[in-house]
Amino acid sequence: MESLTPTEFNLVYNFLSLAIAVMGAAFVFFVGARGNLAPHYRVSMIVSAVVVGVAGYHYFRIFQSWEAAYALNEAGTAYLSTGKPFNDAYRYADWLLTVPLLMVEAVAVLGLSKGVRGKMIAKLSIAAAAMIALGYPGEIATENSTRMIWGTLSTIPFIYILYVLWVELGKATKDESGEVKVLFRNLRLLLLATWGVYPIAFLFPVFGIESAAALVGLQVGYSIADMTAKAGYGLMIYGIAKAKSEEEGYIREDAHAPAPKLAPAE
């Protein structure tokens, strides 16, 4: 990449900065909110916190790499390459860790039996890791044909994940209350909608979008999808866990604790 306009550079810069803030805020919320849940659902919040924590770290590294890769020219009209490559591989390192954990969240929050839970987590985690691993060679490919081959291979485990989420987990949740069923349905729809952004952004070069626009579109699209698929997804996991905790009659331990006494005014 030779140059970017100030608008293009700043658009990516601001979205990367926003992603760091969102992941950090979500981490604080998930850690603090776990006490609102029955003990056996708190693991879902711990996993949610790990997901956004890992994502926040990688976004910080992406942000640093973006800053280092470009510098504003003397005229202030363009950002020119500094010769330092922009390292977007941080995204795939992040996804390889966090996407399987997103699957763990979805299973953990349902409170399934140990045998069913273990099998579901294994299936979804392996498929998620395969999806990311197969997508990376296409991401770095310089030829559209190679990009399409790896993109197609990556789609196979993605379809399998959808099958498990909709069919197998759908059967496992048939006895849940109406509210939990609706929340879990919305969770799956959110996952489908956000994950749908990735292949669109992945195919920008194939669509013939010019290099600068493709780079900017990739970074903005991936950032929006990550914020929704990690922080937003975690909030929905929290909603399911909270609903199930309330159905089971859980009341937070300190909910009825007496208010602290104030010192008398002098």
Side-chain angles (χ1 to χ4, degrees):
M1 183 66 60
E2 295 298 327
S3 67
L4 296 170
T5 67
T7 299
E8 291 170 334
F9 177 86
N10 287 325
L11 184 62
V12 175
Y13 182 97
N14 291 332
F15 266 95
L16 294 176
S17 178
L18 176 62
I20 294 171
V22 168
M23 299 304 178
F27 178 85
V28 173
F29 175 80
F30 295 148
V31 171
R34 72 188 190 283
N36 296 329
L37 309 177
H40 48 287
Y41 295 122
R42 291 176 188 173
V43 65
S44 61
M45 282 298 92
I46 294 173
V47 177
S48 295
V50 171
V51 166
V52 294
V54 171
Y57 164 75
H58 283 107
Y59 264 95
F60 178 70
R61 297 304 302 271
I62 295 170
F63 183 84
Q64 287 182 313
S65 182
W66 182 257
E67 277 193 303
Y70 299 95
L72 188 64
N73 63 6
E74 293 183 1
T77 57
Y79 277 85
L80 305 179
S81 173
T82 62
K84 297 179 180 179
F86 172 54
N87 186 3
D88 203 25
Y90 287 124
R91 287 195 183 278
Y92 277 82
D94 172 68
W95 293 339
L96 192 61
L97 295 171
T98 59
V99 174
L101 288 176
L102 293 177
M103 300 296 96
V104 173
E105 287 182 65
V107 177
V109 77
L110 293 175
L112 303 175
S113 65
K114 185 176 181 180
V116 174
R117 183 173 65 246
K119 291 179 181 178
M120 288 289 183
I121 288 176
K123 289 179 183 179
L124 290 169
S125 298
I126 292 172
M131 178 177 67
I132 301 305
L134 290 170
Y136 182 66
E139 185 70 52
I140 62 175
T142 56
E143 296 182 359
N144 286 341
S145 58
T146 303
R147 193 177 189 87
M148 288 297 297
I149 290 171
W150 287 105
T152 301
L153 291 174
S154 179
T155 302
I156 296 172
F158 171 65
I159 294 174
Y160 177 72
I161 290 171
L162 295 182
Y163 167 78
V164 174
L165 288 176
W166 258 265
V167 179
E168 296 192 16
L169 273 182
K171 294 177 181 177
T173 59
K174 66 180 184 300
D175 295 327
E176 297 287 352
S177 68
E179 181 182 3
V180 172
K181 284 182 179 179
V182 170
L183 288 170
F184 191 66
R185 179 204 65 191
N186 293 341
L187 179 75
R188 291 180 295 186
L189 291 175
L190 174 70
L191 196 65
L192 180 61
T194 54
W195 282 14
V197 174
Y198 298 107
I200 294 173
F202 182 88
L203 292 173
F204 276 169
V206 179
F207 295 152
I209 300 175
E210 60 172 283
S211 55
L215 175 63
V216 172
L218 279 171
Q219 298 310 313
V220 172
Y222 284 157
S223 298
I224 293 173
D226 276 344
M227 286 185 282
T228 308
K230 293 182 172 66
Y233 180 89
L235 289 174
M236 297 191 74
I237 290 288
Y238 172 75
I240 294 173
K242 188 74 162 52
K244 290 177 71 67
S245 296
E246 291 173 353
E247 289 175 0
E248 295 172 9
Y250 174 76
I251 299 176
R252 181 167 178 157
E253 289 88 341
D254 59 357
H256 302 294
K261 294 181 179 181
L262 300 178
E266 296 183 0

